[in-house]
Amino acid sequence: NDIKAWTDIDAIASFSSLTALRFRNNPITSVIGGGEARSTLIARLPNITELNSSGITEKERVESERRYVASVARELLTLSQGEGKETNHPQSSQNEDDTDKHSEKIRQKIVSLHPRFDELMNKHKDSMLSIQSSANGNTRNNIANDAINVTVRSMAASSCAMEPMRKRLPGTLKVGRLKILCSRAFGIDVDLMTLHFKAENDPFPTELDDEENPLYYYGVHDGAEILINEIDLEERRKDQERENKEYDRRVKEQERTASMMQDVKKMQEMKANAAITGAQNK
């Protein structure tokens, strides 16, 4: 394993027969966390159903793809705004056209680095409305600066009977700050809280999994619903135990298969050597 560029990953995405992948200790993922590495690999490789001996559920794939789209759109937005500041000369009558050209040039560059971006943006467009606006180069009316109306609903056992909280929030509000607001309103410990953004008619809510990211990073748009859940520590422990057992089972199965293949290879070598020895004796 010595993969140093994401283009190498994109190159194998076209192999439809590739459904299982072992990917460990590669330079390309050495600077990011294990969770981010797994999520990015799942998003970039549409055909894999198993990664590092762990199965990929439909829910995990949807969340990974949405997180990936949001990340790329954020990168695109940041670069476009940076270029806009450098080229923004009020005295130039071509200012707006120049800005649009720069934005499109940057977009094409980003898309070349992320071949699945347009495909995934279209696939998840219903839940990515706000970042789609930004990703299409609409930086002069940046949706990140707009306030959005959201409904916050608790799904936790201790507060699920409480009335939903309706708030008008800035798109730049960070997830960590929203958790504090929710904690005060519903009496849930911030450290045990998880938030998900749910678009209308979408069966797979998107987890707001980084407290430092703003709401617009995840595509939270006007009229969206935010769901609060409370982590069950005992259930989490059981889930972890089940995942560890399943992982151990898969690893042992792979080791057993590898051992059988080695035994077969040794038998073949022994037969070949015996045949050579017999031929030499004659």
Side-chain angles (χ1 to χ4, degrees):
N1 286 345
D2 192 29
I3 296 178
K4 299 177 181 178
W6 285 110
T7 50
D8 295 330
I9 297 298
D10 297 329
I12 65 175
S14 59
F15 299 132
S16 58
S17 59
L18 178 66
T19 58
L21 178 69
R22 289 183 65 83
F23 193 91
R24 296 185 184 279
N25 302 320
N26 280 278
I28 195 174
T29 54
S30 62
V31 295
I32 60 179
E36 183 179 354
R38 178 180 174 86
S39 176
T40 304
L41 285 166
I42 291 172
R44 284 183 177 260
L45 298 171
N47 300 313
I48 61 171
T49 57
E50 182 180 302
L51 179 59
N52 292 333
S53 302
S54 177
I56 301 169
T57 64
E58 182 181 2
K59 184 174 184 287
E60 183 182 19
R61 172 162 291 284
V62 168
E63 290 185 351
S64 295
E65 290 178 348
R66 288 178 179 174
R67 190 177 296 114
Y68 175 69
V69 169
S71 177
V72 177
R74 171 61 177 166
E75 179 183 357
L76 174 58
L77 179 60
T78 300
L79 289 175
S80 297
Q81 289 178 326
E83 287 288 328
K85 291 178 182 178
E86 293 177 4
T87 59
N88 187 17
H89 303 296
Q91 68 273 21
S92 172
S93 61
Q94 299 296 317
N95 182 53
E96 290 191 4
D97 288 341
D98 289 344
T99 299
D100 289 340
K101 289 179 181 178
H102 275 286
S103 295
E104 181 58 26
K105 184 178 180 181
I106 293 170
R107 188 181 190 284
Q108 292 302 322
K109 180 180 178 181
I110 291 295
V111 169
S112 70
L113 295 174
H114 303 276
R116 297 200 71 208
F117 176 63
D118 283 338
E119 173 196 347
L120 294 179
M121 177 69 85
N122 184 63
K123 177 180 178 180
H124 302 291
K125 61 184 178 181
D126 291 341
S127 61
M128 314 295 277
L129 292 177
S130 60
I131 64 171
Q132 186 175 28
S133 174
S134 297
N136 285 335
N138 187 16
T139 57
R140 287 189 296 274
N141 296 310
N142 184 6
I143 198 164
N145 296 322
D146 293 340
I148 51 179
N149 295 300
V150 300
T151 300
V152 183
R153 190 183 307 276
S154 176
M155 310 299 289
S158 60
S159 55
C160 61
M162 295 178 65
E163 285 294 317
M165 175 176 67
R166 293 175 175 81
K167 282 279 187 178
R168 186 167 177 80
L169 304 172
T172 53
L173 182 70
K174 291 185 176 181
V175 172
R177 292 294 302 170
L178 177 57
K179 282 188 174 182
I180 293 174
L181 290 175
C182 293
S183 176
R184 292 171 179 169
F186 295 97
I188 301 174
D189 189 334
V190 171
D191 294 331
L192 299 179
M193 184 187 302
T194 61
L195 298 179
H196 288 76
F197 148 57
K198 185 177 184 301
E200 188 177 1
N201 299 323
D202 191 338
F204 296 107
T206 299
E207 184 178 0
L208 309 183
D209 58 352
D210 190 333
E211 295 188 358
E212 292 302 311
N213 282 334
L215 296 181
Y216 74 87
Y217 178 93
Y218 295 96
V220 179
H221 54 78
D222 194 64
E225 188 173 41
I226 305 293
L227 304 179
I228 307 173
N229 282 286
E230 190 171 17
I231 296 172
D232 186 327
L233 295 179
E234 179 61 22
E235 189 61 31
R236 169 177 280 189
R237 184 187 64 79
K238 292 179 180 179
D239 286 343
Q240 189 62 52
E241 287 181 354
R242 284 194 290 268
E243 289 178 5
N244 290 340
K245 288 180 180 178
E246 177 63 17
Y247 176 77
D248 290 341
R249 185 191 68 78
R250 289 177 179 270
V251 169
K252 289 178 180 178
E253 183 177 329
Q254 290 181 351
E255 290 176 345
R256 187 165 51 250
T257 301
S259 178
M260 291 173 61
M261 293 178 67
Q262 288 177 351
D263 290 341
V264 170
K265 185 177 180 180
K266 287 179 181 179
M267 288 292 294
Q268 291 174 339
E269 290 175 350
M270 290 173 61
K271 289 180 179 180
N273 291 335
I276 293 172
T277 301
Q280 290 175 343
N281 291 336
K282 290 181 180 179

